[in-house]
């Protein structure tokens, strides 16, 4: 008789668990319990109400989730990148909106302050952001410049005392709940620069987008900067050039590649359990070939995504990760999770369209995740350029 595959959880078919260190497992399990206790019982209602649970922010800080892969000397957890990825996975098992909050805070706000900020800026902001006492947002996209941020219109004018920023940023996660915004703008010489903008500065306003049918448990806003004046010491000294903004995206995309696995696992485990219990035509639907094929396709996508994320984490920890490798992981894992969520929704039949089950909420959220941080198409073109040497963005 053939030997059975030995695995602990149905979604860990290749025993990735065995590759993890005790620290990685323990960090993951802490956040897993938090999500089970504090997110899953409420998320369906929050999502329907379009509510982001700000009360969870200090708790995420206490757990060490915010900027968890940044150094301890700045009040962060100093975890390795696989442990960090596992935290993103567990948060997104709850909801993509909760993971988005943490991604933006850690990878798009804390990372640029850490990587491009002065020592004073690091010491002032990072510990407060890590504890969740301050919330940040990241303003790169504009109403007419999304996939092509080089086309941005936001301007930074140098004055004797500092900088004056003017422009509009669109689709900004955490926008209206943020205390500070990392804003990218072109100076008068045409160079893109990054700035820390306190959101109570005169001329700054944030306006929430309320018509979303995706990512509903997340704040998404338009930022208006109307002659916003900031002092010199709020410019990020190392954030000079568009490449620096793109470098932040690499950090966030890394976490998203892991997070997508969490959403997919939530959908797969729910569909598997439902299929075993649900009886149609006198037998469990799990005993039908079509449902089995759906479940096998889901498991294959999850297993591939887990291995891609894990290896990417090893490369990142070794300082060998290239942004095109991150593009492959983000593109593959998010699209795979979206397909898993849609398949899971099918298995659940009519029940699958409600928020009592997770699949439809995850599928709707993953439509955003497939678009933000570089659309599926943009990552295709980044990878195409990398392997052929030819750029195919069709730039005018
Ligand atoms: P390009 O010539 O490709 O690059 C300019 C310079 O930057 C370097 N570079 C990168 N460096 C680090 N990480 C990356 N991902 C990088 N991509 C490029 C590049 O080597 C070059 O350096 P140098 O030294 O030669 O000057 O610039 P381009 O204008 O042609 O860029 C094209 C493209 C498509 C790759 C880029 O614009 C892009 O990635 N577009 C997608 C935009 C995007 O992803 N926006 C995301 C906004 S934030 C968000 O969505 C948050 S969602 C919330 C959440 O995260 O949960
Ligand atoms: P467009 O760039 O207009 O693209 C439209 C379509 O055209 C897409 O299908 C795209 O793939 C395709 N396309 C574009 N160019 C090409 C090409 N050259 N070849 C082939 N096809 C192409 N941005 C931030 O700065 N900060 C945030 O915090 C943030 N949070 C977000 C949260 C949510 C919920 C969402 C939905 C978006 C968020 N974004 C944020 C914006 C996000 O990064 C952009 O939506 C994304 O980069 C795509 O830009 P766009 O929407 O303008 O689409």
């Amino acid at each position: 008789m053939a030997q059975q595959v030995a695995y602990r959880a149905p979604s860990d078919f290749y025993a990735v668990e065995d590759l993890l260190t005790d620290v990685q497992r323990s960090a993951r399990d802490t956040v897993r319990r938090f999500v089970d206790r504090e997110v899953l019982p409420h998320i369906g209602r929050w999502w329907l109400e379009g509510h982001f649970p700000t009360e969870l922010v200090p708790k995420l800080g206490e757990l060490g989730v915010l900027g968890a892969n940044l150094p301890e000397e700045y009040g962060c957890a100093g975890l390795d990148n696989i442990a960090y990825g596992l935290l993103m996975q567990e948060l997104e098992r709850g909801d993509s909106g909760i993971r988005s909050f943490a991604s933006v805070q850690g990878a798009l706000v804390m990372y640029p302050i850490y990587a491009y900020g002065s020592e004073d800026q690091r010491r002032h902001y990072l510990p407060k952001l890590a504890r969740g006492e301050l919330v940040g947002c990241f303003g790169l996209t504009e109403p007419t410049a999304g996939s092509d941020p080089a086309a941005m219109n936001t301007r930074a004018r140098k004055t004797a005392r500092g900088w004056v920023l003017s422009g509009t940023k669109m689709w900004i996660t955490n926008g209206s709940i943020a205390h500070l915004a990392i804003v990218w703008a072109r100076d008068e010489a045409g160079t893109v620069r990054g700035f820390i903008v306190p959101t109570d500065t005169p001329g700054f306003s944030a306006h929430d987008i309320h018509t979303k049918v995706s990512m509903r448990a997340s704040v998404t806003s338009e930022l208006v900067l109307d002659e916003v004046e900031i002092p010199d010491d709020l410019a990020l000294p190392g954030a000079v050039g568009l490449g620096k903004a793109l470098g932040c995206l690499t950090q966030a995309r890394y976490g998203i590649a892991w997070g997508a696995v969490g959403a997919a696992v939530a959908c797969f485990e729910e569909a598997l359990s439902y299929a075993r219990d649900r009886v149609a035509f006198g037998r469990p639907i799990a005993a039908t070939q079509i449902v089995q094929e759906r479940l096998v396709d889901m498991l294959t996508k999850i297993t591939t995504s887990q291995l891609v994320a894990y290896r990417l984490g090893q490369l990142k920890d070794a300082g060998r990760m290239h942004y095109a490798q991150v593009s492959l992981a983000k593109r593959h894992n998010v699209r795979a999770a979206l397909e898993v969520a849609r398949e899971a929704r099918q298995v659940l039949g009519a029940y699958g369209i409600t928020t009592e089950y997770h699949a439809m909420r995850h599928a709707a959220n993953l439509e955003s995740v497939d678009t933000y941080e570089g659309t599926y198409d943009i990552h295709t073109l980044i990878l195409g350029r990398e392997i052929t040497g030819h750029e195919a963005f069709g730039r005018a």
Side-chain angles (χ1 to χ4, degrees), residues 35 75 82 87 108 117 128 152 158 166 177 181 238 248 261 309 337:
V35 168
I82 290 177
L87 303 189
L108 296 180
K128 295 188 183 98
M152 71 174 67
K158 187 80 190 74
S166 287
I177 58 168
C248 303
V261 175

Side-chain angles (χ1 to χ4, degrees), residues 104 108 138-143 145-148 170-173 212 215 220 368 371-378 381 392-394:
V104 169
L108 296 180
F138 178 87
L140 178 65
T141 305
E142 298 186 358
S147 297
D148 182 15
M170 192 64 180
W171 304 111
I172 307 305
T173 302
K212 292 177 296 173
M215 209 61 93
T220 315
S368 283
T371 288
Y372 72 31
E373 284 291 353
T375 67
Y376 184 86
D377 305 328
I378 289 300
L381 298 174
F393 293 106

